[in-house]
Amino acid sequence: MMGCIFCRIIRREAPAHIVYEDEHTLAFLDINPCSPGHTLIIPKLHAQRLEDLPEEEAIALFRTLHRLIEPIQRAVGADSTTIGINNGPESGQEVPHIHIHVIPRFRGDGGGIIQGVARLWRRPTRGEMERIARRIRNLVGT
Ligand code: 5GP
Ligand code: ZN
């Protein structure tokens, strides 16, 4: 897409520290890293959310993620990573071109866990959990 910063990086119209590229995906260092080696992996096809991507592009994205985790960790001496997607504006997504964050983690780095991104005001009841699960099952279909 024309004005999209990540599409501009793909077209080499904007600079980036690129670490990997293939037919379907590109990976480069985040300009404002949470930790050394913080990398973004993107599909070359412009789409805002994971569910907007054709399945094959989503699979290609995950293949690149799988391929890059160890090299990223080794390059910065990390033993773990936090991997996440801000999927849509309400989740805090700022760049409207889907990207997977790969954030190297270090003992005592002061960071949090994925489950810290939202806080329920109360625990759902068993009945509510069952209703939600049933609704999701029905919507997924098979
Ligand atoms: P999100 O959309 O997931 O909330 O965050 C977007 C991420 O992209 C941020 O971590 C931000 O630092 C990074 N970012 C935004 N613009 C650029 C850019 O022009 N180049 C690079 N390398 N990273 C960017
Ligand atoms: Zn784009």
Side-chain angles (χ1 to χ4, degrees):
M1 205 183 56
M2 271 301 285
C4 170
I5 179 62
F6 287 177
C7 285
R8 294 184 62 228
I9 289 173
I10 294 167
R11 295 194 300 265
R12 306 298 200 270
E13 292 168 12
H17 293 99
I18 293 172
V19 302
Y20 177 84
E21 179 170 28
D22 63 26
E23 191 186 343
H24 298 282
T25 66
L26 185 74
F28 51 90
L29 297 184
D30 193 296
I31 204 170
N32 186 22
C34 301
S35 71
H38 181 173
T39 300
L40 303 176
I41 305 173
I42 66 173
K44 288 189 171 174
L45 196 72
H46 179 91
Q48 172 148 14
R49 301 168 185 244
L50 186 59
E51 65 270 33
D52 301 333
L53 273 183
E55 189 178 57
E56 290 309 313
E57 301 295 323
I59 290 168
L61 197 60
F62 217 79
R63 189 187 301 125
T64 297
L65 170 64
H66 181 255
R67 186 173 291 183
L68 291 190
I69 294 172
E70 283 193 330
I72 291 169
Q73 288 184 170
R74 270 195 218 156
V76 296
D79 290 325
S80 303
T81 44
T82 292
I83 295 165
I85 300 172
N86 294 319
N87 198 45
E90 288 74 18
S91 72
Q93 184 179 12
E94 287 181 355
V95 177
H97 182 134
I98 186 206
H99 45 280
I100 304 177
H101 290 265
V102 182
I103 303 173
R105 297 297 304 268
F106 302 86
R107 195 170 295 281
D109 64 13
I113 58 174
I114 292 274
Q115 299 96 306
V117 298
R119 277 277 155 254
L120 278 180
W121 62 279
R122 64 171 176 80
R123 177 184 281 273
T125 64
R126 245 182 105 119
E128 285 169 328
M129 299 270 275
E130 189 42 54
R131 263 197 306 282
I132 291 168
R134 194 182 318 120
R135 205 177 295 157
I136 293 172
R137 283 195 299 267
N138 289 338
L139 288 166
V140 173
T142 36

